[in-house]
Amino acid sequence: MNTAGYSIEYRHSNGNMHVGVHGEFNHNTADAVLEILHTAYKGSGRIFIDTAKIQHIVESGAEYFKTACAVRGVPITCLFFKGEKGKHLGPNGSKVLLMKEREKKCCGNCKNCACKNHKANSAEKRTCCAE
């Protein structure tokens, strides 16, 4: 679902549902997420909502989402919010997963490597973070 101000995408994987929200989280965004959960959630497995690409949370939209989850019968104990912004969106009983930022690993073979981790005598040329 893509509209002015926000977009939402979802997929099913290993019996779980994964929802990605991009842009502003407001009342309309909350309604759209709830509609997707209502129509696409299969009734089993966990629901992961990724908050990393939410740029702004409108407080009234977050409050609406929290109360509407209970009214619409969203299984709160199955809701997992990925990222710091999940603290503002998650209704009581849901969980917030704080993800550690992954460190970029250098191959050690890139030209002008900033980490100075070059491997000697490697015939293979790879691209990595510093190029």
Side-chain angles (χ1 to χ4, degrees), residues 51-111:
T51 66
K53 295 183 180 173
I54 295 175
Q55 295 165 344
H56 176 70
I57 297 174
V58 176
E59 192 60 36
S60 61
E63 290 305 315
Y64 169 72
F65 182 76
K66 290 176 190 179
T67 56
C69 278
V71 172
R72 294 194 185 186
V74 175
I76 305 296
T77 57
C78 296
L79 272 179
F80 292 81
F81 291 86
K82 293 168 61 178
E84 191 75 31
K85 295 176 190 111
K87 292 178 182 178
H88 304 289
L89 297 176
N92 287 339
S94 64
K95 294 173 183 61
V96 176
L97 305 173
L98 299 178
M99 312 302 284
K100 228 167 118 176
E101 258 190 63
R102 292 184 181 175
E103 184 179 310
K104 274 191 173 180
K105 292 190 178 181
C106 181
C107 65
N109 293 322
C110 57
K111 184 177 168 184

Side-chain angles (χ1 to χ4, degrees), residues 14-55:
N14 297 323
N16 299 313
M17 183 173 183
H18 299 265
V19 180
V21 182
H22 307 260
E24 181 176 84
F25 194 94
N26 55 34
H27 191 281
N28 293 335
T29 313
D31 256 346
V33 170
L34 290 164
E35 183 61 27
I36 287 170
L37 295 180
H38 177 72
T39 58
Y41 180 60
K42 297 176 180 174
S44 63
R46 296 178 176 156
I47 302 167
F48 293 96
I49 299 178
D50 191 350
T51 66
K53 295 183 180 173
I54 295 175
Q55 295 165 344

